[in-house]
Amino acid sequence: SDTKAFTSFKFANMAMAWQQAQTSCAKNNIQKNEFGENLLEPVFGNPPEWRLFQIAFILMSIESVGNPKSKFRDTVDLLWFPTGGGKTEAYLGLVAFVIAYRRLRGSGEKRITQDSLGTAVIMRYTLRLLTVQQFQRASTLMCACEKLRLENTVLWGEKPFQVGLWVGQSVTPNSRKEAAFKKTEIQYSKNKDLEEIEDSNPYILINCPWCGSKLNHANGEISGKPEQWRLYCSRNKCKFSKKPGNPEDFSLPVLTVDEDIYSRCPSLLIATVDKFAQIALEPKIKSIFGKVDYHCADCGFFNSTVDKAHPKQHSDKVVPQQICQ
């Protein structure tokens, strides 16, 4: 009965189909170290399909996550299944629905509003290693969501779907400055393999989540609009490589620096439990929970109570209490 919910459900199914296809494709490419010309549109050898408990879990959850007045709103469901049984795909399918529904919920007259943006889902884990593993899988899903968004920006808007990794400084940098310093450090070291980075790793991803190409230090930089630490695929033919003519806000849809997470407020945030202890110490975290004043095309989400004065050269692009288009 809810057109936006049905559209979001279809979006989630397509996104997960592409996630499955590209995960398999990337894995195969990594193993064989082969990257052909036809990797952007892999052929579905076997039609993608849900396991019964996965689609059942998603269908059971849709009404309560989409309807604020649902009688099941306060119910907590525990998905108990053996390791390797497909729990993550069930979660990610529901995530795809939620972020799509959030994007449509705020739209009106073919215009995306501030109610369409911001962090829609937070996933918390107890172990950092597990968190990074889940981030890698979620990155492929977010690439799939971006593929669908770019094919219909009228419906899904110009702002990218992104996934953020929010963990301790020993794993990822707190600021873009730290990320740039780490890049320089790697660039002038004897071993430039990203797998050798032991702390404050701004890359995290060793391979492109979309096609599997191996990444290197040159694939990360501070650029774009809004400015952020961005990662690009190293293979020119990949959809997520750096090409002339791409939108300024285009790159692999991942955030690995705390500063960017607070300014971009990614659709999906994957974090460790201990990181939430920072809520009482870092005021900028409030942006994740929607406590912002406005959005600037150059700076991202902005909160005047914790951020420095907004640059004067951007003042003409800022509309208080609204999203700058």
Side-chain angles (χ1 to χ4, degrees):
S1 61
D2 185 332
T3 302
K4 291 181 179 179
F6 185 52
T7 301
S8 302
F9 179 68
K10 291 190 291 183
F11 177 94
N13 275 274
M14 282 303 300
M16 287 303 298
W18 279 107
Q19 193 261 4
Q20 285 187 33
Q22 292 295 152
T23 296
S24 176
C25 182
K27 183 178 180 180
N28 182 65
N29 291 333
I30 292 171
Q31 291 175 344
K32 296 183 178 180
N33 197 28
E34 295 178 355
F35 303 93
E37 297 183 3
N38 302 319
L39 298 185
L40 298 184
E41 303 291 339
V43 176
F44 296 125
N46 295 316
E49 56 184 33
W50 292 108
R51 295 178 182 176
L52 183 58
F53 86 90
Q54 293 172 335
I55 190 62
F57 174 77
I58 293 172
L59 291 172
M60 286 173 60
S61 305
I62 280 180
E63 195 271 340
S64 60
V65 298
N67 176 18
K69 297 181 180 179
S70 171
K71 64 180 181 180
F72 299 110
R73 194 71 167 183
D74 295 326
T75 300
V76 176
D77 283 321
L78 177 63
L79 187 55
W80 186 268
F81 221 77
T83 300
K87 293 188 298 296
T88 297
E89 283 67 32
Y91 294 146
L92 292 181
L94 188 58
V95 167
F97 170 83
V98 171
I99 65 174
Y101 193 66
R102 163 74 70 90
R103 189 62 63 96
L104 293 181
R105 185 186 67 180
S107 63
E109 299 180 358
K110 297 183 179 181
R111 180 177 181 274
I112 299 298
T113 70
Q114 61 182 348
D115 290 332
S116 306
L117 306 177
T119 299
V121 180
I122 295 175
M123 300 180 75
R124 294 178 296 172
Y125 292 90
T126 53
L127 299 175
R128 289 181 179 178
L129 178 60
L130 181 60
T131 306
V132 171
Q133 291 173 341
Q134 297 302 323
F135 174 72
Q136 292 170 337
R137 298 169 76 173
S139 296
T140 307
L141 171 64
M142 217 50 57
C143 286
C145 290
E146 273 296 274
K147 168 184 165 55
L148 299 179
R149 181 189 69 83
L150 291 168
E151 291 173 352
N152 191 350
T153 55
V154 173
L155 179 63
W156 302 111
E158 299 293 339
K159 302 297 180 184
F161 294 112
Q162 295 177 310
V163 55
L165 180 64
W166 196 41
V167 291
Q169 187 178 9
S170 62
V171 181
T172 60
N174 286 339
S175 68
R176 297 171 201 140
K177 184 178 179 179
E178 292 175 27
F181 178 80
K182 179 62 72 170
K183 175 182 178 178
T184 303
E185 187 180 86
I186 300 168
Q187 186 175 357
Y188 290 102
S189 67
K190 292 182 180 180
N191 191 344
K192 299 181 180 180
D193 196 322
L194 300 185
E195 294 184 76
E196 301 300 320
I197 304 176
E198 296 181 353
D199 61 349
S200 296
N201 185 355
Y203 297 89
I204 293 295
L205 300 174
I206 306 302
N207 300 88
C208 171
W210 191 245
C211 74
S213 296
K214 190 173 180 62
L215 303 182
N216 57 61
H217 73 275
N219 299 132
E221 62 180 43
I222 299 174
S223 62
K225 181 179 174 183
E227 187 177 74
Q228 70 173 62
W229 171 259
R230 295 178 184 271
L231 298 181
Y232 298 91
C233 180
S234 57
R235 189 175 67 93
N236 291 332
K237 292 184 179 295
C238 180
K239 181 183 290 292
F240 294 96
S241 63
K242 190 174 183 180
K243 302 183 184 72
N246 277 346
E248 292 182 286
D249 194 7
F250 179 83
S251 55
L252 279 167
V254 298
L255 300 174
T256 59
V257 176
D258 286 8
E259 184 179 2
D260 292 331
I261 288 174
Y262 305 146
S263 65
R264 298 309 308 268
C265 299
S267 306
L268 169 61
L269 184 63
I270 298 180
T272 45
V273 172
D274 62 308
K275 191 68 176 180
F276 283 82
Q278 294 292 321
I279 291 177
L281 305 174
E282 177 52 75
K284 290 185 178 181
I285 295 175
K286 65 170 67 178
S287 64
I288 296 173
F289 300 95
K291 303 299 183 180
V292 295
D293 294 327
Y294 46 75
H295 183 277
C296 170
D298 294 278
C299 303
F301 287 102
F302 191 85
N303 190 305
S304 59
T305 62
V306 297
D307 293 311
K308 296 179 180 178
H310 195 264
K312 292 183 179 180
Q313 64 267 33
H314 299 169
S315 60
D316 61 327
K317 300 187 178 85
V318 176
V319 181
Q321 305 306 322
Q322 296 182 23
I323 293 297
C324 300
Q325 296 297 318

